Amino acid sequence: MAEKLRIELPEYAVQTARLGALMMIYETTSKVVDDRFALVPTEKCSEILLGVLAQAQRMFPLIDVYAFHFLSNHLHLLIGAPTLRQKSAFLEWTLREISRRINKLLDRTGSLLEQNHCIQITTLEHALERLRYIMGQATAQFLVRHPADDIFPSSTPFLLFGKAVEGVFRYANQEPMTLKVRIDRLPGLEELSAKDHRALMWTLADGLAAEARPKRKKAGVRIPEPEALRRIDPMTRPKTRDRSPAPVVHGPKEHQQRWREVHAELRAAYTVSTLAYYAWQDDPTQVMIPWPAHTLPPAFSRPRRPRAGAA
């Protein structure tokens, strides 16, 4: 179990504007199985993705959502969570419901999303950088010239224009509900007025467009028409798969080293507790040892390749 250990570093929690509570900030990435374009931004698909996210916020009110982006073959969420348990429950429900509903839309079965990759963010500066990264997903891939032109379901319309981001959620045999996705103010930006906050978001977006322009020209890539992106076969996949190694946390090098040290300590303690738990299962007279704080016990751990949407 210890090799799958999920941990959190509570010393890097921040107080959030919405609840005034301490939260750990995370960036979560989840890829479609085999990199297939199952999340093509058709109207129906976008309604489903945004509807699930909006319903997840209603079910897990302690979770903040600062930014998100659904590209055709993967998704990004920038969230705040008070505990690992809350974060895991939110992601499991959200990704499971996306998998179920997109599978139904595409008339397919089986796993849709790979296990999510969730990384804690340890500074407010890195949190803003990750928001910028998420906002620029389609721009960096030469799918749009500017984040303002992005047709993929994302938090960008709200961040740049203040537009409501809405989806549709429906339980079986019930009327569909049109729900609004709440996009929370990123910690560290609470003091900005609405006008100044929007100006900052536009500065980030303009910078992304300026960075992408010379790269796009050098690559000789033309921006596709929005309708062409919507007509892509969901079962196709990209010709090449670019992968970049992810850090253990998004933060300075000393925070990454701190994570490695804490993880090693907690992993050793977790192994001792887990072995005691297994011994107690065989013989209830044995003493159980509590799992270390800021980890998830075995009942909430997931295998490397879980059922669709597991956290």
mmCIF file with all atom_site columns, all heavy atoms in Angstrom, residues 20-35:
data_model
loop_
_atom_site.group_PDB
_atom_site.id
_atom_site.type_symbol
_atom_site.label_atom_id
_atom_site.label_alt_id
_atom_site.label_comp_id
_atom_site.label_asym_id
_atom_site.label_entity_id
_atom_site.label_seq_id
_atom_site.pdbx_PDB_ins_code
_atom_site.Cartn_x
_atom_site.Cartn_y
_atom_site.Cartn_z
_atom_site.occupancy
_atom_site.B_iso_or_equiv
_atom_site.pdbx_formal_charge
_atom_site.auth_seq_id
_atom_site.auth_comp_id
_atom_site.auth_asym_id
_atom_site.auth_atom_id
_atom_site.pdbx_PDB_model_num
ATOM 1   N N   . GLY A 1 20 ? -12.986 31.351 4.347   1.00 0.00 ? 20 GLY A N   1
ATOM 2   C CA  . GLY A 1 20 ? -12.093 31.760 5.424   1.00 0.00 ? 20 GLY A CA  1
ATOM 3   C C   . GLY A 1 20 ? -11.468 30.579 6.129   1.00 0.00 ? 20 GLY A C   1
ATOM 4   O O   . GLY A 1 20 ? -11.074 30.672 7.294   1.00 0.00 ? 20 GLY A O   1
ATOM 5   N N   . ALA A 1 21 ? -11.372 29.444 5.415   1.00 0.00 ? 21 ALA A N   1
ATOM 6   C CA  . ALA A 1 21 ? -10.842 28.210 5.995   1.00 0.00 ? 21 ALA A CA  1
ATOM 7   C C   . ALA A 1 21 ? -9.464  27.915 5.419   1.00 0.00 ? 21 ALA A C   1
ATOM 8   O O   . ALA A 1 21 ? -9.098  28.414 4.344   1.00 0.00 ? 21 ALA A O   1
ATOM 9   C CB  . ALA A 1 21 ? -11.787 27.050 5.706   1.00 0.00 ? 21 ALA A CB  1
ATOM 10  N N   . LEU A 1 22 ? -8.694  27.104 6.143   1.00 0.00 ? 22 LEU A N   1
ATOM 11  C CA  . LEU A 1 22 ? -7.392  26.691 5.640   1.00 0.00 ? 22 LEU A CA  1
ATOM 12  C C   . LEU A 1 22 ? -7.571  25.594 4.603   1.00 0.00 ? 22 LEU A C   1
ATOM 13  O O   . LEU A 1 22 ? -8.277  24.610 4.832   1.00 0.00 ? 22 LEU A O   1
ATOM 14  C CB  . LEU A 1 22 ? -6.515  26.192 6.788   1.00 0.00 ? 22 LEU A CB  1
ATOM 15  C CG  . LEU A 1 22 ? -5.994  27.270 7.748   1.00 0.00 ? 22 LEU A CG  1
ATOM 16  C CD1 . LEU A 1 22 ? -5.207  26.628 8.879   1.00 0.00 ? 22 LEU A CD1 1
ATOM 17  C CD2 . LEU A 1 22 ? -5.132  28.290 7.008   1.00 0.00 ? 22 LEU A CD2 1
ATOM 18  N N   . MET A 1 23 ? -6.931  25.769 3.470   1.00 0.00 ? 23 MET A N   1
ATOM 19  C CA  . MET A 1 23 ? -7.030  24.818 2.361   1.00 0.00 ? 23 MET A CA  1
ATOM 20  C C   . MET A 1 23 ? -5.647  24.507 1.826   1.00 0.00 ? 23 MET A C   1
ATOM 21  O O   . MET A 1 23 ? -4.766  25.371 1.811   1.00 0.00 ? 23 MET A O   1
ATOM 22  C CB  . MET A 1 23 ? -7.860  25.413 1.213   1.00 0.00 ? 23 MET A CB  1
ATOM 23  C CG  . MET A 1 23 ? -9.287  25.742 1.550   1.00 0.00 ? 23 MET A CG  1
ATOM 24  S SD  . MET A 1 23 ? -10.356 24.342 1.183   1.00 0.00 ? 23 MET A SD  1
ATOM 25  C CE  . MET A 1 23 ? -11.959 25.173 1.208   1.00 0.00 ? 23 MET A CE  1
ATOM 26  N N   . MET A 1 24 ? -5.474  23.272 1.354   1.00 0.00 ? 24 MET A N   1
ATOM 27  C CA  . MET A 1 24 ? -4.339  22.943 0.510   1.00 0.00 ? 24 MET A CA  1
ATOM 28  C C   . MET A 1 24 ? -4.783  23.151 -0.932  1.00 0.00 ? 24 MET A C   1
ATOM 29  O O   . MET A 1 24 ? -5.918  22.823 -1.294  1.00 0.00 ? 24 MET A O   1
ATOM 30  C CB  . MET A 1 24 ? -3.895  21.498 0.718   1.00 0.00 ? 24 MET A CB  1
ATOM 31  C CG  . MET A 1 24 ? -2.862  21.313 1.824   1.00 0.00 ? 24 MET A CG  1
ATOM 32  S SD  . MET A 1 24 ? -3.510  21.662 3.491   1.00 0.00 ? 24 MET A SD  1
ATOM 33  C CE  . MET A 1 24 ? -4.573  20.244 3.758   1.00 0.00 ? 24 MET A CE  1
ATOM 34  N N   . ILE A 1 25 ? -3.906  23.711 -1.753  1.00 0.00 ? 25 ILE A N   1
ATOM 35  C CA  . ILE A 1 25 ? -4.223  23.941 -3.160  1.00 0.00 ? 25 ILE A CA  1
ATOM 36  C C   . ILE A 1 25 ? -3.593  22.830 -3.997  1.00 0.00 ? 25 ILE A C   1
ATOM 37  O O   . ILE A 1 25 ? -2.435  22.461 -3.780  1.00 0.00 ? 25 ILE A O   1
ATOM 38  C CB  . ILE A 1 25 ? -3.708  25.319 -3.631  1.00 0.00 ? 25 ILE A CB  1
ATOM 39  C CG1 . ILE A 1 25 ? -4.288  26.426 -2.743  1.00 0.00 ? 25 ILE A CG1 1
ATOM 40  C CG2 . ILE A 1 25 ? -4.078  25.562 -5.089  1.00 0.00 ? 25 ILE A CG2 1
ATOM 41  C CD1 . ILE A 1 25 ? -3.776  27.816 -3.102  1.00 0.00 ? 25 ILE A CD1 1
ATOM 42  N N   . TYR A 1 26 ? -4.366  22.310 -4.951  1.00 0.00 ? 26 TYR A N   1
ATOM 43  C CA  . TYR A 1 26 ? -3.906  21.203 -5.792  1.00 0.00 ? 26 TYR A CA  1
ATOM 44  C C   . TYR A 1 26 ? -4.201  21.487 -7.257  1.00 0.00 ? 26 TYR A C   1
ATOM 45  O O   . TYR A 1 26 ? -5.233  22.089 -7.594  1.00 0.00 ? 26 TYR A O   1
ATOM 46  C CB  . TYR A 1 26 ? -4.620  19.892 -5.433  1.00 0.00 ? 26 TYR A CB  1
ATOM 47  C CG  . TYR A 1 26 ? -4.404  19.407 -4.026  1.00 0.00 ? 26 TYR A CG  1
ATOM 48  C CD1 . TYR A 1 26 ? -5.307  19.724 -3.020  1.00 0.00 ? 26 TYR A CD1 1
ATOM 49  C CD2 . TYR A 1 26 ? -3.306  18.614 -3.693  1.00 0.00 ? 26 TYR A CD2 1
ATOM 50  C CE1 . TYR A 1 26 ? -5.128  19.266 -1.723  1.00 0.00 ? 26 TYR A CE1 1
ATOM 51  C CE2 . TYR A 1 26 ? -3.112  18.155 -2.402  1.00 0.00 ? 26 TYR A CE2 1
ATOM 52  C CZ  . TYR A 1 26 ? -4.026  18.486 -1.418  1.00 0.00 ? 26 TYR A CZ  1
ATOM 53  O OH  . TYR A 1 26 ? -3.854  18.036 -0.133  1.00 0.00 ? 26 TYR A OH  1
ATOM 54  N N   . GLU A 1 27 ? -3.310  21.016 -8.114  1.00 0.00 ? 27 GLU A N   1
ATOM 55  C CA  . GLU A 1 27 ? -3.628  20.919 -9.540  1.00 0.00 ? 27 GLU A CA  1
ATOM 56  C C   . GLU A 1 27 ? -3.813  19.450 -9.867  1.00 0.00 ? 27 GLU A C   1
ATOM 57  O O   . GLU A 1 27 ? -2.946  18.621 -9.573  1.00 0.00 ? 27 GLU A O   1
ATOM 58  C CB  . GLU A 1 27 ? -2.526  21.505 -10.420 1.00 0.00 ? 27 GLU A CB  1
ATOM 59  C CG  . GLU A 1 27 ? -2.890  21.417 -11.899 1.00 0.00 ? 27 GLU A CG  1
ATOM 60  C CD  . GLU A 1 27 ? -1.751  21.771 -12.831 1.00 0.00 ? 27 GLU A CD  1
ATOM 61  O OE1 . GLU A 1 27 ? -0.661  22.130 -12.343 1.00 0.00 ? 27 GLU A OE1 1
ATOM 62  O OE2 . GLU A 1 27 ? -1.952  21.673 -14.059 1.00 0.00 ? 27 GLU A OE2 1
ATOM 63  N N   . THR A 1 28 ? -4.935  19.126 -10.483 1.00 0.00 ? 28 THR A N   1
ATOM 64  C CA  . THR A 1 28 ? -5.242  17.749 -10.846 1.00 0.00 ? 28 THR A CA  1
ATOM 65  C C   . THR A 1 28 ? -5.317  17.627 -12.361 1.00 0.00 ? 28 THR A C   1
ATOM 66  O O   . THR A 1 28 ? -5.952  18.446 -13.028 1.00 0.00 ? 28 THR A O   1
ATOM 67  C CB  . THR A 1 28 ? -6.586  17.313 -10.247 1.00 0.00 ? 28 THR A CB  1
ATOM 68  O OG1 . THR A 1 28 ? -6.490  17.317 -8.825  1.00 0.00 ? 28 THR A OG1 1
ATOM 69  C CG2 . THR A 1 28 ? -6.958  15.912 -10.695 1.00 0.00 ? 28 THR A CG2 1
ATOM 70  N N   . THR A 1 29 ? -4.660  16.610 -12.886 1.00 0.00 ? 29 THR A N   1
ATOM 71  C CA  . THR A 1 29 ? -4.725  16.303 -14.308 1.00 0.00 ? 29 THR A CA  1
ATOM 72  C C   . THR A 1 29 ? -5.234  14.880 -14.465 1.00 0.00 ? 29 THR A C   1
ATOM 73  O O   . THR A 1 29 ? -4.800  13.980 -13.742 1.00 0.00 ? 29 THR A O   1
ATOM 74  C CB  . THR A 1 29 ? -3.339  16.410 -14.970 1.00 0.00 ? 29 THR A CB  1
ATOM 75  O OG1 . THR A 1 29 ? -2.817  17.718 -14.740 1.00 0.00 ? 29 THR A OG1 1
ATOM 76  C CG2 . THR A 1 29 ? -3.421  16.149 -16.466 1.00 0.00 ? 29 THR A CG2 1
ATOM 77  N N   . SER A 1 30 ? -6.157  14.670 -15.393 1.00 0.00 ? 30 SER A N   1
ATOM 78  C CA  . SER A 1 30 ? -6.643  13.330 -15.687 1.00 0.00 ? 30 SER A CA  1
ATOM 79  C C   . SER A 1 30 ? -6.734  13.171 -17.188 1.00 0.00 ? 30 SER A C   1
ATOM 80  O O   . SER A 1 30 ? -7.361  13.991 -17.873 1.00 0.00 ? 30 SER A O   1
ATOM 81  C CB  . SER A 1 30 ? -8.009  13.082 -15.039 1.00 0.00 ? 30 SER A CB  1
ATOM 82  O OG  . SER A 1 30 ? -8.385  11.720 -15.175 1.00 0.00 ? 30 SER A OG  1
ATOM 83  N N   . LYS A 1 31 ? -6.102  12.140 -17.715 1.00 0.00 ? 31 LYS A N   1
ATOM 84  C CA  . LYS A 1 31 ? -6.058  11.920 -19.149 1.00 0.00 ? 31 LYS A CA  1
ATOM 85  C C   . LYS A 1 31 ? -7.090  10.885 -19.579 1.00 0.00 ? 31 LYS A C   1
ATOM 86  O O   . LYS A 1 31 ? -7.378  9.944  -18.840 1.00 0.00 ? 31 LYS A O   1
ATOM 87  C CB  . LYS A 1 31 ? -4.658  11.449 -19.574 1.00 0.00 ? 31 LYS A CB  1
ATOM 88  C CG  . LYS A 1 31 ? -3.561  12.481 -19.345 1.00 0.00 ? 31 LYS A CG  1
ATOM 89  C CD  . LYS A 1 31 ? -2.227  11.960 -19.805 1.00 0.00 ? 31 LYS A CD  1
ATOM 90  C CE  . LYS A 1 31 ? -1.131  13.011 -19.596 1.00 0.00 ? 31 LYS A CE  1
ATOM 91  N NZ  . LYS A 1 31 ? -1.357  14.205 -20.421 1.00 0.00 ? 31 LYS A NZ  1
ATOM 92  N N   . VAL A 1 32 ? -7.610  11.063 -20.776 1.00 0.00 ? 32 VAL A N   1
ATOM 93  C CA  . VAL A 1 32 ? -8.476  10.048 -21.363 1.00 0.00 ? 32 VAL A CA  1
ATOM 94  C C   . VAL A 1 32 ? -7.622  8.842  -21.721 1.00 0.00 ? 32 VAL A C   1
ATOM 95  O O   . VAL A 1 32 ? -6.469  8.978  -22.153 1.00 0.00 ? 32 VAL A O   1
ATOM 96  C CB  . VAL A 1 32 ? -9.187  10.597 -22.616 1.00 0.00 ? 32 VAL A CB  1
ATOM 97  C CG1 . VAL A 1 32 ? -10.031 9.511  -23.285 1.00 0.00 ? 32 VAL A CG1 1
ATOM 98  C CG2 . VAL A 1 32 ? -10.059 11.791 -22.249 1.00 0.00 ? 32 VAL A CG2 1
ATOM 99  N N   . VAL A 1 33 ? -8.174  7.657  -21.516 1.00 0.00 ? 33 VAL A N   1
ATOM 100 C CA  . VAL A 1 33 ? -7.459  6.416  -21.827 1.00 0.00 ? 33 VAL A CA  1
ATOM 101 C C   . VAL A 1 33 ? -6.965  6.443  -23.279 1.00 0.00 ? 33 VAL A C   1
ATOM 102 O O   . VAL A 1 33 ? -7.712  6.810  -24.195 1.00 0.00 ? 33 VAL A O   1
ATOM 103 C CB  . VAL A 1 33 ? -8.387  5.208  -21.597 1.00 0.00 ? 33 VAL A CB  1
ATOM 104 C CG1 . VAL A 1 33 ? -7.763  3.935  -22.149 1.00 0.00 ? 33 VAL A CG1 1
ATOM 105 C CG2 . VAL A 1 33 ? -8.675  5.041  -20.115 1.00 0.00 ? 33 VAL A CG2 1
ATOM 106 N N   . ASP A 1 34 ? -5.700  6.100  -23.469 1.00 0.00 ? 34 ASP A N   1
ATOM 107 C CA  . ASP A 1 34 ? -5.067  6.052  -24.800 1.00 0.00 ? 34 ASP A CA  1
ATOM 108 C C   . ASP A 1 34 ? -5.024  7.423  -25.476 1.00 0.00 ? 34 ASP A C   1
ATOM 109 O O   . ASP A 1 34 ? -4.834  7.507  -26.695 1.00 0.00 ? 34 ASP A O   1
ATOM 110 C CB  . ASP A 1 34 ? -5.767  5.052  -25.725 1.00 0.00 ? 34 ASP A CB  1
ATOM 111 C CG  . ASP A 1 34 ? -5.626  3.616  -25.236 1.00 0.00 ? 34 ASP A CG  1
ATOM 112 O OD1 . ASP A 1 34 ? -4.590  3.310  -24.601 1.00 0.00 ? 34 ASP A OD1 1
ATOM 113 O OD2 . ASP A 1 34 ? -6.536  2.818  -25.485 1.00 0.00 ? 34 ASP A OD2 1
ATOM 114 N N   . ASP A 1 35 ? -5.210  8.488  -24.706 1.00 0.00 ? 35 ASP A N   1
ATOM 115 C CA  . ASP A 1 35 ? -5.169  9.851  -25.252 1.00 0.00 ? 35 ASP A CA  1
ATOM 116 C C   . ASP A 1 35 ? -6.246  10.103 -26.300 1.00 0.00 ? 35 ASP A C   1
ATOM 117 O O   . ASP A 1 35 ? -6.117  10.998 -27.139 1.00 0.00 ? 35 ASP A O   1
ATOM 118 C CB  . ASP A 1 35 ? -3.797  10.155 -25.868 1.00 0.00 ? 35 ASP A CB  1
ATOM 119 C CG  . ASP A 1 35 ? -2.857  10.796 -24.857 1.00 0.00 ? 35 ASP A CG  1
ATOM 120 O OD1 . ASP A 1 35 ? -3.321  11.121 -23.755 1.00 0.00 ? 35 ASP A OD1 1
ATOM 121 O OD2 . ASP A 1 35 ? -1.667  10.960 -25.170 1.00 0.00 ? 35 ASP A OD2 1
#
